[in-house]
Amino acid sequence: MMEISVNAQAIAYLVSAILFILALKGLTHPASARRGNYLAMAGMVIAIVATLMGSEIRSYGFILAGVAVGGVIGTVIAMRIQMTAMPQLVAALHSFVGMAAVLVAIGTFLNKQADGLLNGVLMGELSAGIIIGAITFSGSVIAFGKLQGMISGRPVKFKGQHLLNALLAIATIGFAVHFALTESTVSLAIMTLLAFILGFTLIIPIGGADMPVIVSMLNSYSGWAAAATGFTLQNNLLIIVGALVGFSGAILSLIMCRAMNRSIFNVVFGGFGTAAVEGDGVADAAQKGVKSAAIEDAIYWMEDANKVIIIPGYGMAVAQAQHSMKELMEQLEARGVEVKFAIHPVAGRMPGHMNVLLAEADIPYENVVEMDEINPEFATADVALVVGANDVVNPAAKDDPTSPIYGMPVLDAGKAHHVFVIKRSMRPGYSGVENRLYYQDNCSLVFGDAKDVSEGMVNQLKGSAH
Amino acid sequence: MPETLVALYIFVLSCFIGYWVIWGVTPSLHTPLIALTNAISGIVIVGALLVTGLEGVGTTAEIIGFFAVLLASINVFGGFLVTNRMLAMFNKKKK
């Protein structure tokens, strides 16, 4: 392969970094987003080609094999994955970045050791790369397990958890320092192992419904892992990209925490939330003085309405009900009803989860409205239809200072003339808090799976065509 | 200025760029943003290439490097393609 000079390579890296920044900038609007993705692809190609053409790389066999195998696996996964499984896929991909960072650091250590180029600063940077990468890896594996339902989504809590984490963290850093000072391979190995364990113990206590924060946080970690690798290799492109990704994830975590009115500290260490037992919905509801309604009742109010606002939540994703939502929207729009979708920032299992599912179902993004914008509209809506969402519509967050979720911004669904909630059971949301909305006079619960109920609604509407 | 300090300058300034660029991202595109940043963090592939392609290294490092290249490639290919798939969904209703 033709060789390029170090300076030419540096210029290519600069171009690549600029392309990545412009790519992220492209995501400010759906119309420019796709171009943004292409810019990032171009940036990646330039970076890889410039690296391969550099004088440092002299053998290509293993590289080609790795890219070929990885490329095929990545392509197949990306083409086959269902949109509802995006959170799992993202968690899995984060774990790969983490592991790659660990491997790069260890490989660099071996290479530099062979060349006698090790020094304290370098070994400190290597340790940082390994620790962050390892935590990203095992944390993401746990997050994947929880999202995939392989591990219970409940917060796993035990006594002395914080103490254990603190001790693990101190020990990890202790071995890192020892490694940097003495070049001890044993310390390196123990440090790596402890960091893997730490990632596991940090994420296991966090409940399924806090996943939007966790996915964002691991996204951030994967960026810091790349940045640490950049420090080790004295590679500015990795540092720039790592910082961009790290900050992106950090900001998303912050946005998610604000949307729950909780501090990041509280999410990471709080282990808040209980999981109640699922009982028989209708019987429980009658006991608690909640009205339940049939599909026909909901349709009666919706078909002659002027405006219906649909509030999707995780239940819609689980039931894969987004396509029947689209049909419901079309049926209602054919009757002159204005239909909008109201999105709470933490609805679902990752930031923007609902938007992607609604986009997949071909629901125009003009009909999909963020919380702050839609809230004033509930008072003029005839029907608010809550599909598998819970805490994000609980009025207690606004007016009950004793409620654990008090202060969390919520959707004002209760202000609509009629509220219908599609729900599988009376189980409370992740916070374990009773939803006061259900006891309001204007609210009725339609029990059933989100997809079954919404398909039932669509069929009912088709049957009663005007 | 020592190289590590230059790297620190670059790192800190990039953090500021990240901060300002990301706040501009529309909330409806937060999932594609995560998928895209995920693909971009596949840039560790550059590090993986440098480990794998060094001539005259012991086979251990080469094999470790091979796995790093493989994992990072899954990220690069998978990340960009899935982002593209998602963004296509957002785009198609621009009638």
Side-chain angles (χ1 to χ4, degrees), chain A residues 36-212:
Chain A
N37 193 39
Y38 291 132
L39 292 177
M41 286 183 190
M44 186 62 77
V45 170
I46 291 174
I48 291 173
V49 171
T51 309
L52 289 175
M53 288 171 77
S55 58
E56 284 163 299
I57 292 184
R58 277 159 247 145
S59 75
Y60 297 94
F62 278 109
I63 290 176
L64 288 175
V67 172
V69 177
V72 169
I73 297 175
T75 307
V76 170
I77 295 176
M79 290 302 148
R80 296 229 173 129
I81 192 85
Q82 290 218 328
M83 283 299 135
T84 41
M86 269 318 289
Q88 291 92 303
L89 174 68
V90 162
L93 290 176
H94 286 154
S95 77
F96 296 158
V97 176
M99 188 47 111
V102 172
L103 294 175
V104 169
I106 293 175
T108 307
F109 169 72
L110 293 175
N111 284 343
K112 300 270 179 186
Q113 193 184 39
D115 295 346
L117 293 172
L118 286 174
N119 62 59
V121 175
L122 178 68
M123 284 189 285
E125 289 167 344
L126 280 170
S127 305
I130 291 177
I131 295 171
I132 302 171
I135 292 176
T136 310
F137 173 77
S138 53
S140 299
V141 167
I142 298 299
F144 174 82
K146 288 193 178 216
L147 289 163
Q148 184 74 24
M150 291 153 69
I151 307 173
S152 162
R154 294 184 197 187
V156 178
K157 284 181 275 187
F158 53 88
K159 250 197 147 125
Q161 199 157 35
H162 301 328
L163 183 67
L164 174 73
N165 286 340
L167 289 176
L168 273 172
I170 293 168
T172 310
I173 293 168
F175 280 103
V177 171
H178 185 255
F179 163 66
L181 294 176
T182 65
E183 218 177 291
S184 153
T185 327
V186 178
S187 290
L188 173 66
I190 298 176
M191 175 198 83
T192 310
L193 184 70
L194 288 177
F196 278 122
I197 299 173
L198 187 59
F200 177 84
T201 57
L202 278 175
I203 304 299
I204 196 86
I206 299 170
D210 284 338
M211 279 301 155

Side-chain angles (χ1 to χ4, degrees), chain A residues 63 100 104 229 233, chain B residues 43-53 65-66 68-69 72:
Chain A
I63 290 176
V104 169
T229 310
L233 299 169
Chain B
I43 195 75
V44 289
I45 197 171
V46 167
L49 297 175
L50 293 174
V51 170
T52 317
F66 163 76
V69 171

Side-chain angles (χ1 to χ4, degrees), chain A residues 27-28 30 34 37 58-59 62 78-79 81 86 93-94 97 103 111 219 233 236 241 351-353 355 362 364, chain B residues 3 10 15 24 28-29 31 36-38 40 47 53 57 61-62 64 66 75 78 80 84-86 91-93:
Chain A
L27 289 189
T28 43
R34 218 166 168 201
N37 193 39
R58 277 159 247 145
S59 75
F62 278 109
M79 290 302 148
I81 192 85
M86 269 318 289
L93 290 176
H94 286 154
V97 176
L103 294 175
N111 284 343
N219 183 239
L233 299 169
N236 292 333
V241 172
H353 194 185
N355 303 80
D362 239 345
Chain B
E3 285 204 43
I10 291 171
C15 284
S28 64
L29 292 179
T31 295
L36 178 63
T37 50
N38 202 302
I40 292 178
V57 298
E62 268 183 358
I64 288 177
F66 163 76
N75 235 280
F80 281 126
N84 199 42
R85 244 184 89 191
M86 270 192 276
N91 262 20
K92 69 186 164 195
K93 65 221 42 108

Side-chain angles (χ1 to χ4, degrees), chain A residues 418-436:
Chain A
H418 296 276
V419 183
F420 292 95
V421 181
I422 304 179
K423 225 175 141 22
R424 275 180 305 180
S425 70
M426 278 304 288
R427 190 159 76 146
Y430 75 91
S431 61
V433 182
E434 281 285 353
N435 196 333
R436 286 235 327 268

Side-chain angles (χ1 to χ4, degrees), chain A residues 205-252:
Chain A
I206 299 170
D210 284 338
M211 279 301 155
V213 186
I214 297 311
V215 170
S216 314
M217 255 176 54
L218 291 167
N219 183 239
S220 177
Y221 287 178
S222 69
W224 304 132
T229 310
F231 275 98
T232 316
L233 299 169
Q234 306 272 10
N235 185 309
N236 292 333
L237 178 62
L238 260 71
I239 296 176
I240 295 171
V241 172
L244 291 175
V245 175
F247 248 88
S248 170
I251 288 173
L252 287 177

